[in-house]
């Protein structure tokens, strides 16, 4: 996501056996809007009918607390946010 400097971080997540999501973070609403109207989002949305069982649900979540220093992916990381959730 080099083209989107206002996308602070993003995570691909699994919510169930066939339900996945993308969780993105932004410093402000302008960064979020730039992401949603950017080339990466356009490319993903153009492929959505071929890749997904249903249209993606894009929801806004508010992060209330976070600690990310030294974070490493694990198989059972729990995230309680649904942002860009889609199922296959």
């Amino acid at each position: 996501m080099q083209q989107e400097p206002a996308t602070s971080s993003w995570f691909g997540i699994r919510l169930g056996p066939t339900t996945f999501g993308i969780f993105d973070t932004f410093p402000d609403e302008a960064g979020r809007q730039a992401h949603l109207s950017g080339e990466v989002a356009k490319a993903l949305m153009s492929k959505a009918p071929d890749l997904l069982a249903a249209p993606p649900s894009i929801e806004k979540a508010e992060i209330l607390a976070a600690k990310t220093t030294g974070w490493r992916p694990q198989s059972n990381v729990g995230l309680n946010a649904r942002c860009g959730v889609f199922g296959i």
Side-chain angles (χ1 to χ4, degrees):
M1 299 259 253
Q2 308 301 351
Q3 313 101 309
E4 296 184 9
T7 301
S8 302
S9 62
W10 67 271
F11 303 89
I13 60 175
R14 180 189 303 263
L15 298 167
T18 61
T19 305
F20 301 85
I22 300 171
F23 180 85
D24 305 299
T25 63
F26 312 94
D28 53 30
E29 185 61 24
R32 181 177 185 270
Q33 290 305 319
H35 171 72
L36 292 175
S37 63
E39 295 304 314
V40 173
K42 288 177 189 171
L44 286 172
M45 293 305 279
S46 73
K47 298 285 185 189
D50 298 328
L51 300 173
L52 309 176
S57 168
I58 299 174
E59 301 177 25
K60 192 174 186 178
E62 184 177 355
I63 297 174
L64 301 177
K67 180 179 181 205
T68 59
T69 304
W71 183 85
R72 289 182 177 78
Q74 299 174 11
S75 61
N76 293 315
V77 173
L79 294 175
N80 292 321
R82 293 176 180 240
C83 217
V85 174
F86 53 92
I88 60 169

